[in-house]
């Protein structure tokens, strides 16, 4: 799978760079993101929930920033496991370019490989889901950096709702959701139906 897109954001290049490197901003803007925690220098542990066609799963993974040229470019190397749903790994190159004093052109090229059930559902569905997630991220991110309080409040509220749903699911199970795959499937199905 490969994605190449360009977005224009209504803030300076430095503000865009700062927001892209703020884990709280990313957590609020990435659809389904539950947590982003530092794991060494320029590395992060990420947990998120995603639905790709009929496959719904919670992914845990690691993201490493490399080739950093602040505030212009960096590369992201990522890998994640979604249990029975499969895995994803790949990389992305992000570039920022000033577009006047108060605008920034953000371009990225990403490539990824998927395996397990994700690979079985077909590249068309995987590509469509990846484009939808990326589109939603940039909608939220653009609203956040532009200071549109309602949009960023919605993103933060949704991130909080994901946390609350996760906690409700875990407390309803009474056991660790990862210990029993059938319980995990049931709990994520219940979570999906709530949203």
């Amino acid at each position: 799978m490969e994605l190449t897109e360009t977005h224009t954001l209504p803030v300076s290049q430095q503000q865009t760079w700062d927001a892209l490197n703020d884990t709280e901003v990313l957590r609020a803007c990435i659809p389904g993101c539950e947590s982003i925690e530092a794991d060494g220098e320029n590395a992060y542990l990420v947990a998120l929930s995603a639905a790709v066609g009929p496959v719904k799963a919670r992914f845990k993974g690691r993201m490493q920033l490399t080739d950093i040229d602040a505030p212009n470019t960096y590369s992201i190397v990522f890998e994640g496991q979604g249990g029975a749903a499969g895995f994803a790994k790949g990389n992305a190159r992000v570039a920022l370019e000033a577009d006047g004093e108060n605008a920034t052109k953000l371009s990225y090229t990403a490539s990824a490989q998927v395996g397990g059930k994700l690979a079985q559902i077909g590249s068309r569905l995987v590509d469509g889901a990846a484009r939808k997630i990326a589109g939603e991220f940039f909608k939220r991110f653009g609203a956040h950096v532009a200071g549109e309080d309602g949009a960023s409040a919605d993103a933060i509220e949704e991130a909080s709702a994901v946390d609350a749903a996760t906690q409700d699911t875990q407390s309803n199970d009474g056991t660790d959701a990862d210990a029993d795959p059938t319980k995990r499937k049931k709990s994520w199905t219940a979570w999906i139906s709530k949203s």
Side-chain angles (χ1 to χ4, degrees):
M1 172 189 78
E2 291 204 7
L3 281 177
T4 300
E5 291 187 359
T6 300
H7 297 271
T8 301
L9 302 167
V11 293
S12 72
Q13 184 173 343
Q14 186 63 51
Q15 287 174 295
T16 303
W17 179 266
D18 293 343
L20 281 174
N21 288 284
D22 183 329
T23 56
E24 284 305 309
V25 171
L26 294 177
R27 186 174 89 69
C29 295
I30 297 171
C33 185
E34 298 167 14
S35 66
I36 298 180
E37 300 171 7
D39 183 40
E41 189 175 349
N42 299 318
Y44 304 93
L45 296 176
V46 181
L48 62 90
S49 304
V52 180
V55 179
K56 297 168 181 62
R58 181 171 188 259
F59 290 87
K60 289 184 176 182
R62 188 167 193 272
M63 179 174 78
Q64 174 84 43
L65 305 181
T66 61
D67 303 326
I68 300 169
D69 175 19
N72 303 307
T73 65
Y74 62 57
S75 293
I76 304 168
V77 178
F78 59 88
E79 58 182 64
Q81 293 288 331
F87 70 88
K89 64 180 180 178
N91 59 66
R93 181 78 178 158
V94 178
L96 301 179
E97 181 182 331
D99 189 15
E101 280 187 34
N102 292 314
T104 303
K105 189 187 302 183
L106 183 154
S107 304
Y108 73 90
T109 301
S111 62
Q113 296 175 316
V114 295
K117 285 185 183 177
L118 289 175
Q120 294 171 359
I121 64 173
S123 62
R124 204 164 161 194
L125 276 176
V126 173
D127 286 357
R131 288 182 197 286
K132 182 178 176 184
I133 291 169
E136 183 63 24
F137 168 78
F138 282 107
K139 178 181 168 187
R140 293 177 183 185
F141 186 76
H144 182 86
V145 296
E148 295 172 15
D149 293 335
S152 55
D154 289 346
I156 291 168
E157 184 177 309
E158 184 171 316
S160 298
V162 168
D163 290 344
T166 302
Q167 290 170 359
D168 288 348
T169 299
Q170 290 172 349
S171 63
N172 288 342
D173 285 348
T175 59
D176 181 13
D178 291 334
D180 185 345
T182 51
K183 285 189 184 240
R184 183 175 68 233
K185 182 176 181 188
K186 180 180 174 186
S187 64
W188 283 108
T189 303
W191 179 80
I192 295 297
S193 66
K194 286 181 187 177
S195 38

